[in-house]
Amino acid sequence: MANTPYPQSYYAASANPAPERPALQGEVETDVCVIGAGYTGLSSALFLLENGFRVTVLEAAKVGFGASGRNGGQIVNSYSRDIDVIERTVGPRQAQLLGQMAFEGASIIRDRVSRYGIQCDLKDGGVFAALTGKQLAHLEAQQRLWERYGHSKLELMDKRRINEVVACDQYIGGLLDMTGGHIHPLNLALGEAAAVETLGGTIYEQSAAIRIERGANPVVHTAQGKVRAKFIIVAGNAYLGNLVPELAAKSMPCGTQVITTEPLSDELAKTLLPQDYCVEDCNYLLDYYRLSADKRLIFGGGVVYGARDPANIEAIIRPKMIKAFPQLKNVKIDYAWTGNFLLTLSRLPQVGRLGDNIYYSQGCSGHGVTYTHLAGKVLAEALRGQAERFDAFADLPHYPFPGGQMLRTPLTALGAWYYSLRDRLGF
């Protein structure tokens, strides 16, 4: 069997030691089979194990191989759509439940890090940076909305204040969320996987699910084995492929690109981000960045619809970095990679049940680090018979992409081009 390694990213190069986990051989019986050892799958497994379930996790490659081990490492609260849009979409009662949960994922991450002693360079503080007056007004409105839902640790910043935390002249203000922050994402996943095993769960790597045999006691088949379970959780997200066709029709993998500089001097790093907060701007096609523990700048942005890998990632992202920080024009780039996330047409997550015993969560649409940890808890609650919060997500609209899989990429790219043009024109 071919062994799929991690991509050549900064995260893989600086990952904590982890065991080589075997591929599934033969037949296994369990309470819950989780497909995917990213954040959604690992979070689900942990909550289930903590509540007495037997759990087996199947991973096609390695723990955190997908978006969970390649993302920008930012703990960004809420969803990819603003809460006022959610209110208009689903009504006040459902929005109230979703709004109350929107900051919970960050708390779950901090609890996991503390409880299981996960070494992942956790830092507090995240900034939403406004480039235009319209964006700043939008952030002010969002602050008021979130305060209605009980989320009060948000500071609206004017230009003077944001310049104290981000040395970038482009920004006219922003919103600081001290419950946000940043982590080494792959090390978080590896730590959560170790916690799963400490609690008695089993993780098989290099064990892609190739077929699900549905029924009263579903079976997940791999190339060399199978898992019989009472329940299945499908948590493959952008790396699921067509294992579950009805899910693939309602989502689209997209690639985002990340570069990492050589280590910066302490003085230069302190100049860029004096408080060591992470930052994302408010454009539709946004840029995001932060410092690593060894003082590299990790900078990401851009979207490639359909999840194709660009030939030269540095050529795409480096100009964005230099625009934000001209003082880095001569700094060497040590790593460049692509990570895929799963986009939905509504940009809201898709959560649901197929039949009575196959559960799924997918489609974080770019804000997955916190949501996936919340999703694991919500899925585990549903399997335990507590479905109110699960239903709040499940009742969100799940739209298929117009034109099916053939046309979804060009049509979505056209829409993104329109919004990118609006960003550039300041609308």
Side-chain angles (χ1 to χ4, degrees):
M1 175 183 293
N3 189 301
T4 304
Y6 289 116
Q8 293 182 335
S9 70
Y10 165 72
Y11 300 136
S14 56
N16 294 332
E20 289 291 329
R21 296 177 172 90
L24 175 64
Q25 305 278 343
E27 184 172 328
V28 171
E29 189 171 322
T30 189
D31 292 332
V32 185
C33 178
V34 177
I35 299 173
Y39 290 152
T40 302
L42 294 170
S43 179
S44 300
L46 278 171
F47 279 112
L48 290 166
L49 287 161
E50 289 167 348
N51 284 278
F53 286 79
R54 295 176 301 154
V55 180
T56 299
V57 181
L58 297 178
E59 166 55 44
K62 297 176 74 67
V63 166
F65 172 83
S68 299
R70 308 189 198 193
N71 63 77
Q74 301 203 12
I75 299 173
V76 179
N77 286 300
S78 187
Y79 314 108
S80 283
R81 293 308 297 264
D82 293 326
I83 191 64
D84 53 329
V85 177
I86 295 174
E87 287 177 342
R88 293 194 298 270
T89 302
V90 301
R93 183 181 178 279
Q94 189 178 350
Q96 183 69 28
L97 267 176
L98 294 169
Q100 289 170 348
M101 288 188 278
F103 284 57
E104 190 173 340
S107 297
I108 292 170
I109 291 170
R110 288 183 171 87
D111 175 72
R112 295 289 185 223
V113 169
S114 174
R115 183 184 305 189
Y116 296 109
I118 299 173
Q119 302 300 311
C120 62
D121 307 324
L122 173 62
K123 294 278 188 175
D124 293 338
V127 174
F128 300 93
L131 295 128
T132 67
K134 183 177 181 180
Q135 290 179 356
L136 186 58
H138 178 74
L139 288 176
E140 185 174 7
Q142 290 302 304
Q143 180 192 30
R144 291 195 298 269
L145 276 168
W146 283 122
E147 286 175 346
R148 271 180 29 209
Y149 288 91
H151 308 303
S152 58
K153 295 182 180 179
L154 300 168
E155 176 193 347
L156 192 69
M157 299 185 291
D158 59 16
K159 185 170 181 60
R160 179 197 61 78
R161 176 71 176 107
I162 198 170
N163 285 342
E164 293 176 354
V165 299
V166 187
C168 178
D169 291 336
Q170 298 180 88
Y171 306 136
I172 66 167
L175 191 66
L176 173 62
D177 177 9
M178 288 306 298
T179 67
H182 56 95
I183 39 88
H184 186 302
L186 180 55
N187 281 339
L188 176 60
L190 292 173
E192 290 175 334
V196 165
E197 292 167 330
T198 297
L199 294 178
T202 303
I203 301 173
Y204 293 102
E205 295 183 326
Q206 312 298 332
S207 300
I210 57 176
R211 181 167 65 90
I212 298 176
E213 188 179 329
R214 305 187 189 190
N217 295 107
V219 181
V220 181
H221 294 261
T222 70
Q224 296 179 293
K226 57 186 177 181
V227 180
R228 296 186 180 276
K230 298 174 183 176
F231 301 98
I232 294 171
I233 291 178
V234 179
N237 265 289
Y239 294 81
L240 185 64
N242 286 311
L243 178 67
V244 185
E246 55 262 62
L247 299 186
K250 298 176 181 178
S251 58
M252 179 173 64
C254 299
T256 183
Q257 290 72 53
V258 185
I259 60 175
T260 302
T261 68
E262 63 185 337
L264 308 177
S265 68
D266 288 348
E267 181 182 1
L268 179 54
K270 189 80 171 176
T271 300
L272 302 179
L273 294 165
Q275 305 300 321
D276 201 6
Y277 299 150
C278 62
V279 180
E280 68 171 57
D281 68 34
C282 296
N283 282 338
Y284 182 83
L285 298 180
L286 57 84
D287 295 333
Y288 51 90
Y289 51 88
R290 66 181 183 89
L291 292 170
S292 65
D294 58 351
K295 300 297 189 291
R296 301 169 185 266
L297 188 70
I298 300 174
F299 197 105
V303 176
V304 176
Y305 294 95
R308 294 171 290 103
D309 287 353
N312 190 338
I313 295 169
E314 182 176 343
I316 297 171
I317 305 301
R318 186 184 182 96
K320 298 173 180 285
M321 181 185 76
I322 300 305
K323 184 177 180 181
F325 299 113
Q327 59 269 53
L328 299 182
K329 64 181 179 180
N330 295 321
V331 168
K332 179 175 175 287
I333 302 301
D334 279 352
Y335 300 94
W337 69 92
T338 290
N340 295 339
F341 65 91
L342 197 65
L343 181 71
T344 67
L345 195 60
S346 68
R347 291 174 60 203
L348 289 168
Q350 296 174 347
V351 176
R353 184 189 297 109
L354 303 172
D356 295 328
N357 48 22
I358 300 176
Y359 292 75
Y360 65 88
S361 174
Q362 67 170 19
C364 312
S365 299
H367 277 181
V369 173
T370 54
Y371 166 73
T372 48
H373 285 83
L374 169 65
K377 185 175 184 179
V378 169
L379 290 167
E381 288 171 352
L383 265 67
R384 293 167 55 208
Q386 301 168 352
E388 182 183 22
R389 300 194 331 154
F390 173 89
D391 289 341
F393 281 108
D395 289 341
L396 290 171
H398 297 187
Y399 302 119
F401 274 87
Q405 294 192 22
M406 181 176 294
L407 294 180
R408 67 185 181 183
T409 298
L411 289 175
T412 305
L414 181 63
W417 173 84
Y418 167 75
Y419 283 106
S420 177
L421 180 62
R422 287 173 61 92
D423 288 340
R424 291 196 296 272
L425 295 176
F427 293 153

